[in-house]
């Protein structure tokens, strides 16, 4: 569903028209429901919020530091890094997986690490607003503009649903978008002083939410593991 479709669906569930439930008001209640569901899903399996971000390498970057977008309710950023891959030389074909380090354990200053770290063993560590990478890129190892020589696999922060947003902006799997509307409906009914309807809507929402998390929690991430089937029951 798009955000507009979520709003229309919420109106249908609560039997409200555009005058009775405007877009902005509907979006407030949808976000109450969505953000709660998204946080629960994050706790269940953060990989539903996995994303990859490519960054252009810069020759002689100060401290080898690359700054992330500042997270807000409307701007997604990096919540947790899972890996950092570096194309250490623009002439290389393959990326190299960087190794996370504790800067306090270094035997030399970071300035020296930026220069001396081996291209075959790139390292990184996190700072408050970004990441620092060594060895630093040089004019000889950097590619052209839009080189995308840094690739970060990470878990996204959760942001609010925004007016006019596309279906892809909703971080909950598409088949469960209706659960957002069902979970938002009780707030609308309570605002209308329809407490019996609110109670009934809460029961419907709880069932839908339970089914959603039951199914999503059974997802198997180990797709690269093969197993030989058990044929004991077929043997004489």
């Amino acid at each position: 569903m798009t955000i507009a479709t979520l709003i229309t669906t919420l109106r249908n569930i609560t039997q409200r028209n555009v005058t009775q439930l405007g877009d902005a008001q509907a979006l407030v209640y949808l976000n109450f429901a969505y953000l709660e569901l998204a946080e629960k899903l994050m706790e269940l399996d953060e990989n539903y919020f996995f994303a990859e971000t490519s960054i252009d390498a810069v020759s002689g970057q100060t401290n080898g530091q690359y700054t992330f977008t500042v997270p807000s309710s409307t701007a997604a950023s990096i919540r947790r890094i899972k890996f950092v891959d570096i194309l250490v030389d623009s002439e290389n074909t393959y990326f190299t997986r960087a190794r996370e380090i504790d800067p306090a354990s270094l035997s030399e200053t970071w300035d020296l690490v930026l220069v001396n770290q081996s291209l075959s063993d790139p390292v990184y560590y996190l700072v408050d607003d970004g990441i620092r990478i060594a060895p630093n890129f040089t004019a000889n190892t950097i590619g052209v503009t839009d080189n995308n020589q840094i690739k970060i696999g990470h878990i996204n922060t959760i942001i609010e649903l925004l007016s006019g947003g596309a279906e892809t902006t909703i971080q909950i799997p598409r088949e469960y978008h209706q659960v957002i509307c069902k979970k938002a409906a009780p707030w609308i009914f309570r605002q209308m002083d329809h407490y019996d309807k609110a109670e009934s809507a809460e029961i419907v929402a709880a069932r839908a939410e339970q089914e959603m998390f039951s199914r999503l929690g059974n997802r198997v991430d180990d797709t690269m593991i093969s197993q030989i089937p058990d044929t004991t029951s077929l043997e004489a």
Side-chain angles (χ1 to χ4, degrees):
M1 297 183 183
T2 63
I3 305 304
T5 304
L6 284 180
I7 292 173
T8 299
T9 302
L10 182 59
R11 289 196 185 109
N12 291 338
I13 292 174
T14 57
Q15 299 180 322
R16 302 281 87 187
N17 58 36
V18 176
T19 302
Q20 295 166 322
L21 183 62
D23 287 5
Q25 186 180 24
L27 199 55
V28 169
Y29 293 114
L30 287 168
N31 270 311
F32 285 162
Y34 171 68
L35 294 174
E36 183 177 329
L37 289 170
E39 284 292 348
K40 287 182 179 179
L41 184 56
M42 179 77 77
E43 293 175 5
L44 179 70
D45 184 355
E46 67 177 11
N47 289 313
Y48 281 105
F49 301 89
F50 176 80
E52 288 189 4
T53 298
S54 294
I55 300 175
D56 289 342
V58 177
S59 176
Q61 181 78 339
T62 302
N63 293 322
Q65 181 169 327
Y66 297 84
T67 302
F68 302 148
T69 300
V70 177
S72 70
S73 62
T74 58
S77 187
I78 294 175
R79 180 168 181 157
R80 190 171 74 82
I81 288 179
K82 304 204 76 171
F83 64 80
V84 177
D85 289 343
I86 309 291
L87 191 65
V88 295
D89 191 313
S90 61
E91 295 184 359
N92 288 7
T93 302
Y94 301 107
F95 282 76
T96 300
R97 180 64 48 90
R99 177 169 53 90
E100 185 175 9
I101 61 168
D102 177 2
S105 66
L106 293 172
S107 59
E108 57 185 0
T109 65
W110 181 246
D111 287 345
L112 291 176
V113 175
L114 283 172
V115 176
N116 296 331
Q117 187 66 26
S118 171
L119 289 174
S120 63
D121 183 30
V123 297
Y124 74 93
Y125 71 91
L126 301 178
V127 292
D128 287 343
D129 57 350
I131 187 173
R132 292 184 176 183
I133 297 171
N136 216 345
F137 289 89
T138 69
N140 294 327
T141 60
I142 199 171
V144 296
T145 304
D146 298 328
N147 54 67
N148 291 328
Q149 285 180 241
I150 304 168
K151 183 166 62 177
I152 301 176
H154 60 91
I155 303 302
N156 259 336
T157 56
I158 300 169
I159 64 170
E160 294 179 356
L161 304 176
L162 302 177
S163 179
E167 182 176 84
T168 54
T169 64
I170 305 173
Q171 293 174 284
I172 290 174
R174 180 176 54 82
E175 59 267 34
Y176 299 107
H177 287 180
Q178 80 279 358
V179 180
I180 304 171
C181 300
K182 292 177 180 179
K183 191 171 178 65
W187 277 301
I188 305 296
F189 287 127
R190 280 194 291 270
Q191 184 196 42
M192 298 159 56
D193 295 330
H194 293 173
Y195 297 108
D196 289 343
K197 289 184 177 180
E199 185 175 345
S200 298
E202 285 175 344
I203 294 173
V204 171
R207 288 174 179 169
E209 183 177 341
Q210 182 179 21
E211 180 180 0
M212 168 183 160
F213 286 116
S214 176
R215 292 185 177 181
L216 293 178
N218 290 327
R219 184 175 73 161
V220 177
D221 291 326
D222 298 330
T223 55
M224 298 303 293
I225 298 177
S226 299
Q227 294 181 326
I228 299 174
D230 184 357
T231 60
T232 304
S233 61
L234 304 177
E235 297 174 0

